[in-house]
Amino acid sequence: MKYKVNLLTLICCCSVFATSGQHKTMPLPKSKNDFIVIAHRGSHLVKPENSIAAIQEAIELGVDYVEMDLRTTRDGHLVLIHNETVDRTTSGKGRIQDLNLDEVKRLTLIANDGHIHKLPLFEDALRICKNRVNVYLDFKDADAVQAYREIRAAGMEAQVLVYINTAEQYKSWRRAAPKMPLMSGLPKYIRTEGELASYLAEMPLAATDNLPYQSLLFAMRDNGLSVFLDVQASEEDLVSWNTAINKGVQGVQTDHPEALIKYLKQNNLRRRVKVPIH
């Protein structure tokens, strides 16, 4: 599971963007399915995570979003990799921010499928995804202006949801692309509809990955906030899926997209979500 920073404390500390509630953001990327399936780092049970092959397989499985992690090389190129270092997922060692692109290109991703895979550029991933699948962009360490420039160059403005990890990232994205839909976690101490509305007025979000209290679900919907819960794990099962589904959320992020989609289709949950009456 990826480590995520709650933004409310950060924003309160630095009093960031007090007037951001005036901004109208774009809606979430469109999907043909009612219950959203997000492939965590692509379909990576066999293919390497954050690889073009994992993205391609996720697309073929019919997911709604592919989650990918964005970082920057020493010479300023945007690449897909989760960890700060390349040690866990590639043939090399060291921090990605200390490697130039030509060094990164010499690396191979650790794989179990018998094929050679390279660490992909962001622009190459966008090219694969265009008009085929939406992107859930976990913004690890990059420049928002540069990232948005590449998103625009790919014609993907309406297909990307950006996950924000720090207050500075939030400010950067609001400056670079005021209408880009952003996502982050909500603080657990938001207990009332009024507290939720006040929070979102100061920091508009399109989606979140947590539900602090079940009683807030309808208020979150009324405020235009979608909930995509994290269920990703090496061993997911019907219990974890149903726990999320029964909360009435709009979707989940999974490490097992093929099995989850099969289950949703078998139970008529992919296109018609069973939600409690308001």
Side-chain angles (χ1 to χ4, degrees):
M1 302 272 294
K2 57 188 171 184
Y3 176 74
K4 296 178 178 177
V5 179
N6 182 279
L7 289 185
L8 186 62
T9 302
L10 295 170
I11 288 178
C12 288
C13 289
C14 63
S15 299
V16 50
F17 250 49
T19 61
S20 62
Q22 299 173 5
H23 291 277
K24 295 296 184 181
T25 62
M26 293 173 60
L28 285 173
K30 293 181 179 179
S31 175
K32 64 182 180 181
N33 298 299
D34 296 321
F35 191 83
I36 302 300
V37 174
I38 302 164
H40 181 229
R41 305 177 198 168
S43 178
H44 68 274
L45 292 182
V46 178
K47 304 290 191 289
E49 66 179 53
N50 277 310
S51 66
I52 294 298
I55 294 171
Q56 179 64 43
E57 183 169 285
I59 293 171
E60 292 170 357
L61 291 175
V63 304
D64 302 282
Y65 287 76
V66 171
E67 188 261 2
M68 56 185 69
D69 304 288
L70 194 66
R71 293 188 180 273
T72 311
T73 64
R74 179 167 57 189
D75 49 351
H77 294 273
L78 300 182
V79 295
L80 303 190
I81 186 168
H82 178 270
N83 289 27
E84 183 180 1
T85 71
V86 302
D87 301 35
R88 180 178 65 85
T89 56
T90 81
S91 57
K93 292 187 178 298
R95 297 189 305 172
I96 190 70
Q97 67 187 59
D98 295 331
L99 300 175
N100 289 327
L101 182 61
D102 62 341
E103 297 173 292
V104 170
K105 286 183 175 180
R106 290 197 290 269
L107 302 177
T108 56
L109 292 170
I110 296 171
N112 297 316
D113 64 350
H115 296 283
I116 295 175
H117 302 273
K118 295 292 187 176
L119 197 151
L121 287 166
F122 183 43
E123 61 185 16
D124 292 335
L126 290 172
R127 190 177 304 114
I128 293 293
C129 294
K130 185 177 181 180
N131 297 326
R132 303 176 71 200
V133 71
N134 296 321
V135 171
Y136 175 132
L137 184 63
D138 192 344
F139 201 68
K140 295 296 189 187
D141 185 13
D143 177 67
V145 172
Q146 181 182 2
Y148 186 58
R149 185 186 306 123
E150 294 193 13
I151 290 169
R152 289 189 63 187
M156 289 277 291
E157 300 98 313
Q159 283 184 256
V160 177
L161 170 64
V162 181
Y163 192 96
I164 300 302
N165 292 285
T166 69
E168 185 55 43
Q169 288 180 2
Y170 186 86
K171 290 190 293 182
S172 297
W173 272 99
R174 282 291 169 250
R175 288 192 296 262
K179 294 185 178 181
M180 177 62 68
L182 303 180
M183 176 177 179
S184 191
L186 290 178
K188 292 183 178 180
Y189 49 85
I190 289 183
R191 294 175 177 269
T192 68
E193 295 182 15
E195 289 171 341
L196 176 67
S198 296
Y199 178 79
L200 294 175
E202 294 213 2
M203 195 183 81
L205 295 171
T208 184
D209 60 347
N210 70 324
L211 180 60
Y213 295 95
Q214 184 67 37
S215 59
L216 289 174
L217 179 64
F218 294 115
M220 292 166 77
R221 289 183 177 172
D222 290 343
N223 281 276
L225 187 66
S226 294
V227 184
F228 302 141
L229 293 181
D230 289 341
V231 299
Q232 67 263 31
S234 58
E235 295 184 5
E236 297 171 25
D237 55 24
L238 303 185
V239 174
S240 60
W241 295 340
N242 282 322
T243 298
I245 292 168
N246 290 335
K247 289 180 183 292
V249 301
Q250 287 85 355
V252 297
Q253 181 173 200
T254 177
D255 278 337
H256 298 261
E258 183 175 16
L260 176 56
I261 289 174
K262 180 180 179 180
Y263 172 74
L264 292 171
K265 288 181 176 179
Q266 288 176 340
N267 291 275
N268 200 28
L269 295 169
R270 191 74 164 115
R271 298 301 299 271
R272 292 188 309 191
V273 183
K274 298 176 182 179
V275 178
I277 298 174
H278 197 310

